[in-house]
Amino acid sequence: MKKQLMIAALAALFSLPLQAADPAPLSQGEVRKVDAAAQKITLRHGPIASIGMPPMTMVFEVEPGSLLEGVEAGDKVRFQARQEGNRYIVTELQVVEQ
């Protein structure tokens, strides 16, 4: 009986939908340079909560590169970034309409 109860409890547990963690808020920045060929962007940005980075200006890789379409130096943007080792990658990029 205990074995059947345990199996039923595990089945119920694994049938529950997984809830994603709340995504980190988008960071704000200003585009300094776009290098579409290299899929890189230089941003002067505020704090980036998702990777614990303070404000600075730096170069990010961009994945997918299509995020750079229509983005120009001087644009104000909101973005999401992740860190993979010593690589910093923008994964979401939105131009802020002014």
Side-chain angles (χ1 to χ4, degrees):
M1 181 68 173
K2 287 184 181 181
K3 186 175 182 179
Q4 290 174 335
L5 184 57
M6 177 81 83
I7 291 171
L10 287 173
L13 177 65
F14 287 110
S15 68
L16 295 174
L18 296 176
Q19 294 182 354
D22 289 335
L26 295 178
S27 300
Q28 296 183 5
E30 181 180 334
V31 178
R32 294 300 197 184
K33 181 180 177 183
V34 175
D35 184 348
Q39 294 187 348
K40 294 185 178 183
I41 189 169
T42 304
L43 295 173
R44 185 183 80 182
H45 62 80
I48 304 176
S50 62
I51 55 179
M53 182 177 285
M56 66 179 72
T57 299
M58 65 177 288
V59 177
F60 292 87
E61 296 178 41
V62 179
E63 290 180 3
S66 60
L67 291 173
L68 295 174
E69 292 175 13
V71 178
E72 300 176 353
D75 285 347
K76 304 284 188 208
V77 295
R78 297 179 66 203
F79 67 98
Q80 186 67 265
R82 72 174 190 267
Q83 181 179 1
E84 291 181 5
N86 62 357
R87 296 174 58 211
Y88 296 92
I89 305 162
V90 170
T91 57
E92 183 176 345
L93 185 65
Q94 304 168 357
V95 175
V96 176
E97 299 298 322
Q98 298 180 25

